Structure formats: structure tokens, C-alpha cells
Amino acid sequence: MSERRKFIKKSILGSAIFLPSVANAFKNSPKEILIGEKPLILSTWNHGLPANAAAISKYKETGSILDAMETGVMDTELDLSNLSVGLQGLPDREGITTLDASIMTGDGSCGSVAFVRQVKHPISLARVVMEKTPHVMIVGEGARQLAIAEGFPIEKEELSPNAKAAYEKWKINSKYKPIINIENHDTIGMIGIDSNGNLAGSCTTSGLAYKMHGRVGDSPIIGAGLYVDNEVGAATATGLGESIIKICGSFLIVELMRQGRTPQEACEEAVKRLISKNDNINDLQAGFLAINKDGEFGAYAVHPGFNFAKGTLSSNIMIDSKSHF
Ligand code: SD4
């Protein structure tokens, strides 16, 4: 570790309170190494703030970073103003809302569900897959059946008023050009480290608006939307799932950190890779968050506009991510 890194680490970790200059340092100097306190929780977009608050309060209650990751994103799954997470999310082109979610802990345990209908908390169903089945991923009707067997309430299949209005509008032209650009996104990816250095993460979404029925994005794909390894760190993704799956985005970031890159450098390298593998780059947005086992963190996106919430026991703030363009 360089003397400068050691110094930053010492001076920030030495202080129990959050230094506001960290947010500015991030804005002004993307290559800067950012040190977070432990526990530290990062989550994507503005809804990350209430999600972090829910996660932190759960962590204080149970001391479990896994519980925190589940409870945190459950808050977003219930947020009626969010059109990309939970049953109130925008539907596919048939008018049906289908959900994807994944959860993972640093020992390699993971679970996910995809293309699931009528389940309010797909993240909790993903946790059931991880903890109660010998499988990693269960999809579609099988996932719904698992939810029923586990006593999850099955919701009536109807669009929220906001989603219905948006879908009716879309149907007028019903152009099949599903995109996630700098305006339409909202998936929540959350990663966290506890005070002992154990990592976990969660990711949940209704996916791409007006997608083909059955389309699954990166969020429930372990290694694409989420990856966690206690030996190294954790990463999560948001944005156009197809572009993220192509580069195994979250796994790539964790492996780059394993090779010695900082979280920030690893996120930047993943964005570069994503840009090199996708030619529709002007039309797509994608962003990554990463934490390493020392509590250093990073974020980077293809286009401007990506932000994330950073929560500790004593603070919860939004930070603007740097971007390639
Ligand atoms: C997907 N990655 O299904 C998700 C969508 C997303 O912000 O992240 N939106 O492709």
C-alpha cells in the first residue's frame, strides 16, 4: 500500500464521523481511493437513501449484513413512486409485470429468482432459494410456486395506476425499442460490509420496461448484477442488463479487485470493457458500485447521471458518480 493510501486510510478511519470532503473528493478526483467506515452500505440511485436507512436500522437490530441487504431493498420494492422495482414497476410489452432479484453473501452462498409474478418481495424469495433449496436460481411459475409453498402472499395481478397510465401511453405507438438510457432506470443494487469485514449484497428490479415477455436482465444473474466474495469485495450493477451480462460486470469488478485494482479502478475498467463490447453505447446507461474488504469503495457509469447512497452507522448521503462520457 502506498504511503498516500496509508495516510488517507489512517486519517479517515481514525475519525468516527463522516468527513463531508469525501463526497467532494469523489466528484473532483475519480481516481481517488475512498475509504469507508465499517459497516458501510452502498446502494444505487436516489431511492438508495431510504433503502440504506432501512438497512442500517436492521443492521443495528440484528448485526447481520445479510438481513440489512434484504430489508434495505424491500423498502424499494414497496415504493409506489418507483417504476423499475417491485410489482408497481412498468410491465412487459404484454402488460405483465415480472420481477428479478438476487442476494449473495461473501462465503459464496447465493440465490435468485427471475421472471416471477405476483410476489411483492422477490428479494425475500431469492433468500429462500439461497437458504432453503439446493439451487441458486428459480424462475417463472416455479418461483411463484415456491413463494406459495413458503407462505408468501400472492398479490392480485394488476398494474399500479402510474404503471397503467405509462403502459397505455406506450401502447399508442408500442414501438419495440426497449432501452435503459440516462432517464429511465431505477433498479436497486445494494452492497455492504459489516464491522468484521463480512460482505453481502442484494439486487432487485422489474427490469426493462416493455421488454419481451420472459426477458431476464442482469439483476438476478449472479456475477452480472451482483457478486460478493469475502476474500476480495463486492460489486453490483444497474442499467441495461444485456450490456452488463455480456461482460459479467459484477464478477469482472471483483476479479479486478482480486488482482489489486482499487474499487474505483475496477469499476472504471468494467465500464471501459462494457463500452468496447456494445455498439449502441449512446443509447444505453450502465453503472457499477464496488466495495473491497478494507471498506474502500468506488463507482462509475457510462454516462453522467448515476448516483448512489453511502450509508454508515453515523451518516447516509448521496454521491454523484463519475462517468466515462
Ligand atoms: C435490467 N439492470 O433488468 C436492470 C434494469 C436496471 O436501472 O438496472 N434499471 O436490465
Side-chain angles (χ1 to χ4, degrees):
M1 189 183 290
S2 75
E3 282 311 305
R4 175 162 167 70
R5 280 181 68 181
K6 264 194 227 149
F7 171 76
I8 295 173
K9 192 167 194 166
K10 252 192 175 164
S11 51
I12 296 181
L13 287 184
S15 160
I17 39 164
F18 175 73
L19 303 177
S21 60
V22 170
N24 293 332
F26 190 87
K27 263 191 126 167
N28 299 336
S29 163
K31 287 269 191 290
E32 190 55 277
I33 296 150
L34 294 169
I35 315 290
E37 298 165 51
K38 291 184 206 167
L40 170 68
I41 295 174
L42 303 184
S43 35
T44 56
W45 309 114
N46 288 327
H47 50 236
L49 220 46
N52 273 4
I56 290 160
S57 110
K58 190 70 183 179
Y59 181 79
K60 284 180 179 165
E61 184 192 322
T62 69
S64 158
I65 195 72
L66 173 61
D67 288 350
M69 295 297 104
E70 180 189 6
T71 304
V73 302
M74 281 170 80
D75 182 87
T76 323
E77 288 178 340
L78 294 181
D79 176 1
L80 287 177
S81 66
N82 188 311
L83 291 179
S84 309
V85 181
L87 289 177
Q88 64 281 351
L90 293 172
D92 64 19
R93 63 181 184 176
E94 318 297 331
I96 300 166
T97 305
T98 67
L99 306 180
D100 301 338
S102 63
I103 196 158
M104 186 164 191
T105 55
D107 64 353
S109 302
C110 50
S112 77
V113 291
F115 187 43
V116 60
R117 292 159 73 161
Q118 296 176 276
V119 175
K120 209 182 247 176
H121 287 301
I123 196 64
S124 302
L125 193 55
R127 186 169 176 177
V128 164
V129 174
M130 173 172 88
E131 292 180 336
K132 297 193 181 173
T133 79
H135 307 302
V136 164
M137 187 169 194
I138 298 189
V139 307
E141 180 55 16
R144 204 181 69 100
Q145 291 300 330
L146 177 66
I148 293 169
E150 285 294 320
F152 283 59
I154 296 300
E155 308 300 325
K156 209 163 143 211
E157 199 152 50
E158 66 186 1
L159 296 181
S160 69
N162 285 345
K164 191 167 170 14
Y167 180 58
E168 293 303 329
K169 202 165 157 204
W170 175 80
K171 270 202 302 188
I172 297 170
N173 292 319
S174 61
K175 269 210 205 99
Y176 193 62
K177 198 186 175 222
I179 50 169
I180 292 180
N181 56 24
I182 57 175
E183 286 121 37
N184 72 18
H185 45 64
D186 263 346
T187 293
I188 185 152
M190 178 181 273
I191 47 178
I193 186 164
D194 71 13
S195 50
N196 296 317
N198 295 306
L199 290 128
S202 58
C203 191
T204 179
T205 188
S206 56
L208 191 55
Y210 320 126
K211 59 196 175 187
M212 287 174 72
H213 190 59
R215 178 267 186 189
V216 168
D218 60 305
S219 307
I221 310 288
I222 300 299
L226 179 67
Y227 199 71
V228 185
D229 185 339
N230 268 354
E231 285 175 22
V232 181
T236 191
T238 179
L240 186 69
E242 283 74 2
S243 70
I244 296 161
I245 293 172
K246 278 186 196 173
I247 62 156
C248 293
S250 295
F251 181 72
L252 173 63
I253 289 170
V254 171
E255 292 311 298
L256 287 166
M257 292 194 292
R258 196 188 303 276
Q259 290 162 21
R261 310 283 181 99
T262 65
Q264 184 60 35
E265 288 166 347
C267 289
E268 291 183 17
E269 186 64 34
V271 165
K272 259 193 224 150
R273 181 82 59 89
L274 186 148
I275 290 170
S276 75
K277 300 285 181 197
N278 289 275
D279 27 282
N280 52 336
I281 209 68
N282 291 331
D283 283 340
L284 75 84
Q285 173 65 309
F288 296 101
L289 297 179
I291 297 180
N292 71 11
K293 65 178 169 49
D294 295 325
E296 298 171 354
F297 65 94
Y300 206 59
V302 175
H303 295 287
F306 177 44
N307 61 2
F308 63 99
K310 170 185 174 278
T312 67
L313 292 181
S314 55
S315 71
N316 192 17
I317 55 162
M318 289 307 300
I319 300 180
D320 288 329
S321 166
K322 278 275 177 182
S323 62
H324 181 87
F325 293 111

